[in-house]
Amino acid sequence: MYEINKTYETPKGLIKILSRTKKQKLPNGKVKHPRAVIQFVKTGTVIDVQTCNIKAGKFEDFMEPTVYGVGFLGSPIRIPARGSNSIIRKIYDLWSNMLKRAYGNYKTSYAGCKVDPRWHNFTTFLNTIHEVEGYEEWEKDSSMHLDKDIKKGNCGLYSRDHCKFVTATENAKDSNKRRWGKTNDLALT
């Protein structure tokens, strides 16, 4: 059905068939279903899928931005469900909330805020977030904030080099200082 070097429209976008195998009967009597190596035309991502999953769109382009128009998984990683006690889920939520602040509907406090393009890739974020100052404390206490402005001044860039984890109190004090030119400790108690 799917011919090599031809393109096909799927529920996940236009793909090109790079190679394919036929159905095989194995010596143990089981069947090996036909597979295809496909390439997403838009991103160039190459994956291997069962051919029966192509029409239904039961595959993913992990390089396609699906989080706030810029964020993408970057690898075939599986994100655990909400409520799981998984560090990957905890880091995924941190990443997606960071993208939300930078590229969501915030018109005031996050105006002009950006995320380093390397951190648009969740896999890169996952592999580098442990290098950010205060990560170990955040891992124990997720009420800490990922801050982009305290470490190197009000730069507005979320990146490995500009960020650090801070307490909510430290974040509020810095925000007040930048907004009003002073720290208002009475407002924080």
Side-chain angles (χ1 to χ4, degrees):
M1 174 177 190
Y2 295 105
E3 295 181 43
I4 296 172
N5 290 323
K6 293 225 174 176
T7 58
Y8 297 90
E9 190 60 49
T10 73
K12 302 295 178 144
L14 192 62
I15 63 164
K16 181 178 181 180
I17 306 296
L18 301 179
S19 67
R20 88 177 270 257
T21 62
K22 295 183 182 218
K23 183 178 180 178
Q24 297 175 0
K25 204 167 205 182
L26 301 174
N28 63 5
K30 293 187 178 184
V31 173
K32 185 175 181 182
H33 296 281
R35 300 190 68 82
V37 175
I38 64 172
Q39 180 177 37
F40 290 90
V41 172
K42 184 176 177 182
T43 65
T45 306
V46 175
I47 62 171
D48 181 313
V49 298
Q50 282 190 19
T51 56
C52 63
N53 290 331
I54 294 174
K55 184 176 181 181
K58 292 182 179 179
F59 54 90
E60 296 296 328
D61 182 351
F62 50 82
M63 298 303 282
E64 176 72 21
T66 57
V67 181
Y68 296 99
V70 298
F72 56 95
L73 291 179
S75 70
I77 190 168
R78 298 247 185 251
I79 307 302
R82 289 191 189 277
S84 69
N85 194 17
S86 163
I87 190 65
I88 291 174
R89 181 65 208 205
K90 187 175 173 182
I91 293 172
Y92 179 85
D93 289 343
L94 177 71
W95 174 75
S96 64
N97 285 327
M98 172 190 67
L99 293 175
K100 180 180 181 179
R101 288 189 296 277
Y103 304 107
N105 249 350
Y106 293 97
K107 301 280 189 245
T108 56
S109 61
Y110 291 98
C113 173
K114 300 283 183 223
V115 174
D116 181 328
R118 292 173 288 190
W119 272 9
H120 291 181
N121 181 330
F122 173 69
T123 301
T124 300
F125 183 81
L126 177 66
N127 290 330
T128 59
I129 192 63
H130 69 277
E131 299 169 5
V132 172
E133 182 182 339
Y135 172 81
E136 293 82 17
E137 291 83 8
W138 172 81
E139 207 173 37
K140 296 172 197 159
D141 177 8
S142 61
S143 70
M144 294 187 71
H145 298 183
L146 179 63
D147 183 83
K148 65 190 175 342
D149 297 315
I150 295 174
K151 185 174 179 179
K152 292 196 176 186
N154 188 14
C155 69
L157 178 68
Y158 283 101
S159 74
R160 186 181 69 201
D161 298 328
H162 291 92
C163 286
K164 71 184 261 186
F165 287 94
V166 299
T167 65
T169 301
E170 185 180 1
N171 204 8
K173 281 182 180 180
D174 181 71
S175 179
N176 278 343
K177 183 178 177 184
R178 282 185 285 111
R179 185 174 293 138
W180 308 111
K182 61 183 177 178
T183 302
N184 184 354
D185 288 331
L186 294 176
L188 299 173
T189 55

